[in-house]
Every structure is written in structure tokens, then in C-alpha cells.
Amino acid sequence: MSSKEIMCADFMKQMLDIIEQSYQHGWDERNGGNISYLLTQEELEPYLDITKVVSTFSLSICVKELANKYFLVTGSGKYFRNIKGNPCDGLGIIRIAKNGKQAELIWGFENGALPTSELPSHLLSHISRLSVDKKHRVILHNHASHLLAMTFTHELDERAFTRTLWKMCTECLVVFPEGVSIIPWLVPGTNEIGEATADKMKDTRMVLWPYHGVYVAGNCLDEAFGLVETAEKAAQIYTYVQAQGGIKQAISDQQFKQLAERFSVIPRKDYLD
Ligand code: 13P
Ligand code: ZN
């Protein structure tokens, strides 16, 4: 089957839409950011001959837990601005080999590109999320501006950071009741940042990379994108609040408890007074 037909697939349309939206929000300058989307064999088979392997490449980590799983993933160094116009170049579909140490390219990356340099973080985070949520499918990283800025000005304490974001928009507690995790600054594209992120991903779907960006998980692209949108909006409001002279009044912990009860969410233990 030709690669034209795969452009009609829902997963492809959704991926290109989220890439475009993320770029329009200013979260993916140049090649900043990356996405991986777990796909099933059943979803792919109408569009691709999955027995045809274009190329095989080694992984820097062993991810046996993901053997035979397929991912639609952004390419390393690919400008988000350009991916929609040339998806076969900027995107690829890979299958993790049985030994967990290699991946096979099934489609895309036509000019010899490789998956994102953050593939170790993505794959290890997929393992973490799947271990706690069978419906998990998406890992999304970008350089959301206000969240990134807050990592310079706000104390990098997970509880304090989470509480500040919760306070900035009433709906934040409902969207991410488990809070936000924060790792130390680490070199991007390394196994080390991947391991630190994946460790946090067992508890939260959102991890901040100080002075770099945000890393989120979701059951679908919309959910992952919505998580960044919500936290980024809160960070934007925080920026305005600080510029206007700082917090004079805010939602109380008692009100947070009422909110959690109404929307049947359980706020992270000990994050409310
Ligand atoms: P890639 O182009 O390799 O995906 O890297 C972009 C990025 O944001 C690294 O953190
Ligand atoms: Zn990045």
C-alpha cells in the first residue's frame, strides 16, 4: 500500500493536528519537542504491510517490556513547523524488536532520519505509565513557555510547585490531581534523563524538566495535549499574577477539598493542608 493512504488514518490526522497546534502555541520552536504514540497492529494493518522492515537500529536501553509494540514518533532534528507539509520525512513508525534492544522502522523517516533523541525517555516512560494504566498511549514533550519560565523563578519543590499551579485556575486540581513532578536538570537525550523521568511517571503524568520544558503522558493525544494546555495556562496566569504584584487571595485548602469531592478526584496525599 502507498504511504498516501496512511495519511487518511485517524491516528495520523490526530498526530499532525497536535504537532500543528503545539507549534502554533509556541511550544516547539525549531525541532524543540517530540511525541510518541503507541499504536496497535490492528490500527496499522489496513494501511501498512507490517512485515516490510525498512531498516533496523539499536536502542541505547533494553525495553523488552515493549517488544512488538508500535510507535508513531517524531524524528530527531525535525522542525515541528515543517512536519505537516512532509510527514513521511518528519515522522516514522517503529516496532520494538523481540530482544528489546533494537527497533525496526516500518514506515517514514524517508530521508534517513532517526527517531527523536529523547526516545529513551519516551520508551521508559511508556513502560512506567503502562505499568499503572493499561489505557496509556502517548508521551509528549515540549518547551511550553510559561512553565519553562517558572522553573527559573519558582522553588523547585514538587508540592509547592503543584499547589501554585492548582491555585492559578480552579480546574487544575481536577485535571492533574496527582500533581506535577520535577527532576533535577539533566542532559537531554540521555538514558539518565529517561530513567529519572520514567521513575516520576509512575506517580504523575506530568514531569517538569527545569530550564528545558515539560513532559507529559496521556491515554490519547488530546489528553496529553490538554494536560500541557491546562498547566501552561496556570503558569501563564502565575506570570500575570506576579507581574501584578503577587497573590493577595486564592482558593483555600478547604475549597480545594470541596472541589475534589464534587469532581470525584483524589488530590495527591499530603498536598493539601
Ligand atoms: P529531537 O529533535 O531529537 O526530538 O530533540 C528535541 C528536544 O526537544 C530535545 O529535548
Ligand atoms: Zn526538549
Side-chain angles (χ1 to χ4, degrees), residues 106-180:
I106 306 296
W107 173 87
F109 295 148
E110 278 187 351
N111 293 310
L114 284 172
T116 171
S117 58
E118 303 294 2
L119 194 62
S121 297
H122 281 248
L123 296 178
L124 294 172
S125 292
H126 280 295
I127 294 173
S128 286
R129 289 311 303 167
L130 286 167
S131 73
V132 293
D133 179 4
K134 293 280 165 279
K135 290 186 180 154
H136 161 81
R137 294 185 81 170
V138 173
I139 294 289
L140 186 154
H141 160 63
N142 64 41
H143 303 165
S145 316
H146 297 83
L147 280 171
L148 200 168
M150 264 183 85
T151 66
F152 291 89
T153 59
H154 195 284
E155 60 180 306
L156 295 177
D157 171 81
E158 292 175 343
R159 183 181 187 272
F161 207 107
T162 296
R163 285 174 59 85
T164 297
L165 291 180
W166 281 353
K167 281 183 185 164
M168 294 302 114
C169 301
T170 294
E171 313 252 312
C172 280
L173 177 98
V174 179
V175 177
F176 51 95
E178 80 274 33
V180 52

Side-chain angles (χ1 to χ4, degrees), residues 12-29 35 74 79-86 91 140 221 225:
M12 189 61 80
K13 288 188 204 158
Q14 291 162 14
M15 184 79 158
L16 293 173
D17 182 51
I18 290 296
I19 286 170
E20 170 75 7
Q21 293 285 327
S22 300
Y23 176 69
Q24 293 300 342
H25 276 76
W27 301 339
D28 296 276
E29 72 289 344
I35 307 177
T74 52
Y79 289 26
F80 264 46
R81 178 166 63 83
N82 296 338
I83 293 178
K84 203 171 185 177
N86 198 359
L91 296 175
L140 186 154
L221 284 163
F225 184 84

